[in-house]
Every structure is written in C-alpha cells, then in structure tokens.
Amino acid sequence: MGGPGSGRGTQCKKLVERLPGFVHLSMGDVIRSEVAQKGSAEDKWHLVGDLVQKGEMAPQEVTGELLESAMKNNQDAIAFLIEGYPRDVKQLDQFNQNVGGLSLAILLDCDDYYMQKRLLDRGHLSGRVDDNLSAITNRISFYKNHTLPVVKHIEQQGKLLVIPGDRDIEEIQYDLTSLFNTMLSKPEPENASTATNEEPEIRPKPIDESQTQVAVEEVVLEPSVAMPTGLGDNGNPGYTAQLDKTQDAGKESTDALKQCKVIFVLGGPGSGKGTQCEKIVEKFGYTHLSSGDLLRAEVQSGSDRGKKLVEIMEKGELVSLDTVLELIREAMLKEAATSKGFLIDGYPRELEQGIRFENELTPCQFVLYFEVSEDVMKQRLLKRGETSGRVDDNEETIAKRLKTFNDCTQPVIEHYASNDQVKKISSSGTVEETWQLVEQVLNDS
C-alpha cells in the first residue's frame, strides 16, 4: 500500500530478492507492459493506454483478468506481493471472489509533497507517460477519493499495518524485514541502533496453500499515523476513526460544493483585482476568498493548526498545498448554502493548485484574468507605498513579486486558456472603466 511515489515498488523489489519463493506483481507494470505490446494494434489497449497516461484507472475487467493471469503464470509461488491493486471497493470484491487469500496489507504512509516530488524527479529519467504533473495529481486525488473505503475495510479486519514512508529507503526496508521475520517465526534482527552492517536475513518456512497471498494494496492517507505494534482481530480503532473522518470530510465537500459556481481571479500585484472583487461581491453576491487572508486568519485564531503554520513560516518554509486547499474547502463549506458563487482570489498560483482544487473540490467556471503591463503595475504599487506603509511596496520587492507572478502564474493562464476558460480584462484604465468590463463578463456568464 502507498500512494504513487511512496516507494512501495522499490520496497517490494527488495523484499523478493530476500524472500525465496515470493513473487512481486505490480499492477501498473503489468498494465503498461500489455499496453506496450498491444496498444498500437488493438483499440481496447489504445484506450487503456490513454487512461493510464491521464492517471486514471483502467477498466475493472481488464485489471482483474491481467492479475489472475499473472498469478496463474506463477503457480509455484509461496506468496504474492500485489502492488497497486485493488484501487476501489469493486476491485477488492472481485479479488475476494476470484482469488482470495489476503493475509496482510502494508501501508507506506507518505506525505503528498514527497510523493509528487519523487515522481516528477523520476519522470525526468523514466519517460513514463503517467509521470507528468497532471497525471500525478489525478492519481493522488483518486486514491484519496476512491480508495479509503478499501483501506477502512481491510483495517477493520485487523489486516492493516502502517509504516512511515517519508524516510530513507533502507530504514523502511529494515522495518519490513523485521515484520516478515516475525510473520515467518524468525527472531527479529538487532535493534537498528546496534545492528551490524550485515542485512537481516529472511528464511521463509512452508506456508499453507490457503494463505499464499500477501497483498500490497495502493492507497493514499493523511500522514502522521503511528505504526501499530501488532495485529489484532479488531484492527486499530484510532486508525479507523481517522479513516471515518477523512472519508466523511471528502463526502461532505463533494455533496456541498459540487454545484457551487467558482471563479478563479488572477492578476499581477497592482492589477487592481482586489478592488474589482469587492465590487463583484457588492453587485452579484459572490463570496470573496483569498488564500493569504485565510492563512493569516488561521494564524490569528491561535488554533493548533495556526500554531503549526507559525512554525512553518518562521522556518521560512512553504505552507503545503494540502493545508491551503483544506482552508479554502472549510471556508467554502461555511458559505456554500447561501453564497451565489465564490471568487478565489490569487489562486491558483501554480498549475498543480488548480488541478488539485478542481479534482478534490469542484471545477471552476472560468479564470477572470486582469491583464495590465508591468510598468503600470509597478507605478501603482509605488504610488500606494507612499501612503500604505506596506513593507513590500518598494521597488526591489515589487520587481521580485512581478517576476514570481510571471514565472509561476503565466503557465496557469496558458493552461486554462487552452481550454477556453480565461476571461481577460484589460485593467490599465480607471477603476470604473475596468468595472464596466468585469460587469459585462459576469452578466454574460
């Protein structure tokens, strides 16, 4: 178990090297191999290849047939490490009906940031069609939205073990080795702090044929889940509670936000978008949300999350996309019942933010982009700085902010423009001149 980029494939390969008779089946590799062989000749596999490239799930009948075929081709296996399957409840039901024999599910719990970074780094070298930002975001989103019920079911059966995955490869492998030593009735290796340079050895004993599969399912969960010390008949109640909370939150956001009208509002510093947002709220009844304002409000609230944000900011680190997205989701849920729509101001600042928002919350109707020359924005900010007292309204900082905007946000504009979702507003004129253009766009939408 583990999201894309959690390292589960690497760990499975290392385990089979040290477990004679164990067979590693990566559902992703099996599908990609089949697509490579038949994708250009058969329409079905060409379609499957397109789904994989987008980070979407291959049809259930395809994955089930391929998995069963791969297992039949390894009939002498003592046990199977099945990676990347099942990805939803239907696949789990199919596995139980046609194969059965699940002994244990191991979750490599890894933060989204690290998974995405690993996959993007791998994509530069691997050439894999699904190691692109859009596909990666879709894959992570899919696990969060569809696979949690699978994990919950397995956990309630007492067959789920969680291992922190944001660590060195060898540290994780040591934990897995210790686990299998225990399962195979071999004394655990020395404590990691006193271990010798020799790797722990695993010598499997004969296993009853009715329990010859050890499945490694593919899921993504929120981090900071402690690794259980043992497996019980009733599972880990604390982990079940977390699954319930995460799953309920996801359902709530889907039900309450899927009908909401959302407009992303973008423009460089000094473009006047903030002023125009205020006028949209007054005239059209939209709710104006700014990610920066939400972060500042959370810090000022003194909540546990706010205190963690302070620590992150004091270290000069970036607030994670997960945290920003969660703050926006919570703010939208509070207003969803009465709001006529949402203006998400200054968001997304990078393409991944937009993709994550639309996958996990709701699609945006369009991007309202306030277009103005850098010279005009610079002059406006310098003029404001004469009276505002804002420390970032100086020439050097303004130049950096403009560069950041161009480097990060222009790709976002280009992405949505390619889908005909950008409404450009020339905001070089006065506030009222710009408002006439904005009003016309909103009236026509």
Side-chain angles (χ1 to χ4, degrees):
M1 304 171 68
S6 62
R8 64 189 187 279
T10 299
Q11 296 299 333
C12 285
K13 291 173 183 176
K14 284 180 169 290
L15 282 171
V16 295
E17 291 175 359
R18 300 158 69 175
L19 288 164
F22 276 54
V23 173
H24 168 214
L25 296 179
S26 166
M27 203 65 247
D29 288 347
V30 171
I31 293 174
R32 281 186 289 271
S33 175
E34 200 75 11
V35 169
Q37 294 178 34
K38 303 178 180 179
S40 59
E42 300 181 23
D43 289 342
K44 180 179 82 170
W45 290 105
H46 181 72
L47 173 62
V48 172
D50 287 343
L51 292 173
V52 171
Q53 185 170 356
K54 296 175 183 177
E56 299 177 10
M57 189 171 72
Q60 179 179 329
E61 62 274 13
V62 169
T63 53
E65 291 173 3
L66 288 177
L67 176 61
E68 290 176 40
S69 175
M71 295 181 73
K72 289 178 181 178
N73 291 336
N74 293 274
Q75 293 186 11
D76 295 333
I78 292 176
F80 291 96
L81 301 177
I82 303 177
E83 176 203 345
Y85 188 95
R87 295 181 68 184
D88 64 13
V89 174
K90 289 183 179 179
Q91 288 188 345
L92 177 61
D93 290 341
Q94 184 184 48
F95 180 87
N96 288 333
Q97 180 179 349
N98 297 341
V99 182
L102 171 64
S103 301
L104 174 68
I106 303 171
L107 170 67
L108 296 185
D109 190 28
C110 191
D111 186 77
D112 290 3
Y113 168 79
Y114 293 103
M115 291 191 291
Q116 183 191 87
K117 185 177 185 303
R118 290 169 181 171
L119 291 175
L120 289 175
D121 290 343
R122 184 180 73 180
H124 295 315
L125 302 174
S126 69
R128 275 181 48 169
V129 294
D130 55 347
D131 279 346
N132 61 79
L133 180 58
S134 178
I136 290 168
T137 304
N138 285 338
R139 288 155 66 192
I140 292 176
S141 176
F142 182 92
Y143 299 131
K144 288 188 172 181
N145 294 334
H146 295 275
T147 318
L148 283 177
V150 182
V151 186
K152 180 179 177 181
H153 178 75
I154 295 171
E155 195 279 332
Q156 288 176 335
Q157 292 182 329
K159 294 182 178 181
L160 179 69
L161 187 71
V162 185
I163 293 179
D166 296 334
R167 298 178 296 155
D168 181 77
I169 291 175
E170 296 305 324
E171 291 181 11
I172 298 171
Q173 180 65 196
Y174 189 91
D175 283 349
L176 291 171
T177 298
S178 299
L179 168 65
F180 279 98
N181 279 341
T182 301
M183 289 180 62
L184 301 172
S185 300
K186 185 176 184 292
E188 290 189 10
E190 299 177 52
N191 184 281
S193 62
T194 60
T196 65
N197 291 330
E198 296 184 6
E199 293 187 353
E201 180 185 6
I202 297 179
R203 298 177 182 174
K205 64 180 182 180
I207 299 178
D208 189 293
E209 290 184 359
S210 66
Q211 297 183 356
T212 58
Q213 287 85 32
V214 178
V216 183
E217 277 78 16
E218 181 173 22
V219 272
V220 173
L221 296 174
E222 293 301 315
S224 303
V225 181
M227 179 173 129
T229 56
L231 298 172
D233 294 335
N234 298 321
N236 181 347
Y239 203 73
T240 299
Q242 182 185 359
L243 291 174
D244 286 336
K245 181 179 178 181
T246 307
Q247 189 176 346
D248 290 344
K251 183 177 185 301
E252 181 184 12
S253 66
T254 300
D255 292 344
L257 301 181
K258 62 184 179 181
Q259 300 299 327
C260 291
K261 180 182 290 187
V262 171
I263 299 173
F264 290 153
V265 183
L266 293 175
S271 63
K273 60 183 174 58
T275 300
Q276 297 299 324
C277 282
E278 292 175 2
K279 296 178 77 67
I280 294 173
V281 170
E282 182 179 352
K283 173 68 182 289
F284 294 95
Y286 276 62
T287 300
H288 179 207
L289 298 178
S290 162
S291 59
D293 290 345
L294 292 174
L295 286 168
R296 284 186 286 271
E298 189 67 24
V299 169
Q300 293 171 0
S301 73
S303 67
D304 289 340
R305 183 167 58 186
K307 293 175 182 176
K308 291 179 180 178
L309 288 173
V310 172
E311 293 176 3
I312 292 171
M313 294 173 182
E314 286 178 345
K315 293 177 182 177
E317 298 175 354
L318 295 176
V319 177
S320 71
L321 298 185
D322 286 336
T323 300
V324 176
L325 194 60
E326 181 66 11
L327 288 172
I328 293 175
R329 186 187 74 85
E330 291 174 1
M332 291 179 67
L333 285 172
K334 290 178 182 178
E335 306 290 338
T338 57
S339 179
K340 294 182 179 180
F342 291 92
L343 302 172
I344 313 296
D345 185 2
Y347 189 96
R349 296 194 176 188
E350 54 186 70
L351 184 54
E352 184 193 356
Q353 289 182 334
I355 294 173
R356 287 278 303 275
F357 182 100
E358 295 197 89
N359 283 339
E360 298 177 31
L361 301 188
T362 188
C364 83
Q365 185 180 16
F366 58 83
V367 175
L368 191 62
Y369 175 43
F370 291 91
E371 190 175 40
V372 61
S373 70
E374 286 195 11
D375 285 340
V376 171
M377 288 190 285
K378 180 179 177 181
Q379 292 305 314
R380 287 177 177 174
L381 293 173
L382 289 174
K383 183 68 175 176
R384 184 179 71 181
E386 294 176 1
T387 56
S388 69
R390 284 182 52 163
V391 294
D392 55 349
D393 281 345
N394 62 78
E395 195 159 351
E396 181 180 355
T397 304
I398 290 170
K400 291 181 180 178
R401 292 165 63 194
L402 289 171
K403 184 178 186 306
T404 298
F405 172 77
N406 288 326
D407 291 346
C408 297
T409 313
Q410 285 303 329
V412 178
I413 301 298
E414 293 171 5
H415 169 76
Y416 283 99
S418 67
N419 297 326
D420 197 26
Q421 286 182 276
V422 174
K423 309 289 186 183
K424 290 187 178 181
I425 301 292
S426 175
S427 57
S428 298
T430 65
V431 171
E432 287 306 317
E433 289 172 340
T434 302
W435 170 242
Q436 289 178 12
L437 299 175
V438 172
E439 194 172 17
Q440 181 178 343
V441 168
L442 271 291
N443 284 330
D444 294 341
S445 299

